[in-house]
Amino acid sequence: MSDTATVAPGSTGGDVPERYLGRWEARVDGAGTHRLTLAQGRVGERVLTLVADGAVQHCVFAASLARKPGAEGKLRLTAATVTSGAPLSSCAPDIPTTLTLLPDGRLKRTGPAGAEAVTYSRVSPVGSRTE
């Protein structure tokens, strides 16, 4: 079973703008590859699954939509919880984050001031199968 299958991107019945839905990937210096899947959902529902693979660990996180996107279109997510990991002791819950679509089509994930931002490239849009 794939970790990215924990949420299934959809295009109806939720508060997440369709342009955010799908699978995204980033290479993070010193932290390996991060694969992020955004699914449709409402405030309080899980919309994000993040798989972080490093040299010696595999961590899977989930986060919910914290509030409806405003006029600026940014997605605000709750703090991510650890859903699985190997070794589990190498995975720690994450801080609340904001997702922003950049003009070039990439996705930027930021936390509070001082937290490192991560920029993702789209791997597949909503409705695509990659497995």
Side-chain angles (χ1 to χ4, degrees):
M1 183 163 113
S2 168
D3 292 318
T4 58
T6 57
V7 291
S11 60
T12 61
D15 297 321
V16 179
E18 190 164 341
R19 63 187 181 274
Y20 281 93
L21 302 176
R23 293 191 174 98
W24 304 81
E25 185 172 288
R27 303 232 185 262
V28 181
D29 290 340
T33 300
H34 289 192
R35 292 182 316 278
L36 183 150
T37 302
L38 283 167
Q40 190 54 268
R42 298 192 185 283
V43 173
E45 294 178 345
R46 183 171 70 179
V47 296
L48 174 138
T49 297
L50 174 65
V51 178
D53 286 315
V56 295
Q57 91 281 351
H58 170 81
C59 303
V60 182
F61 304 90
S64 299
L65 186 62
R67 64 179 131 164
K68 285 186 179 186
E72 80 283 355
K74 295 180 180 182
L75 290 184
R76 291 184 180 16
L77 304 175
T78 61
T81 58
V82 177
T83 61
S84 65
L88 188 56
S89 61
S90 68
C91 307
D94 203 2
I95 56 179
T97 56
T98 300
L99 302 177
T100 307
L101 281 175
L102 301 174
D104 65 3
R106 294 181 301 155
L107 180 74
K108 186 175 182 180
R109 183 170 176 252
T110 57
E116 181 181 352
V118 178
T119 302
Y120 295 82
S121 296
R122 186 181 294 276
V123 175
S124 63
V126 66
S128 297
R129 291 212 38 103
T130 58
E131 299 171 39

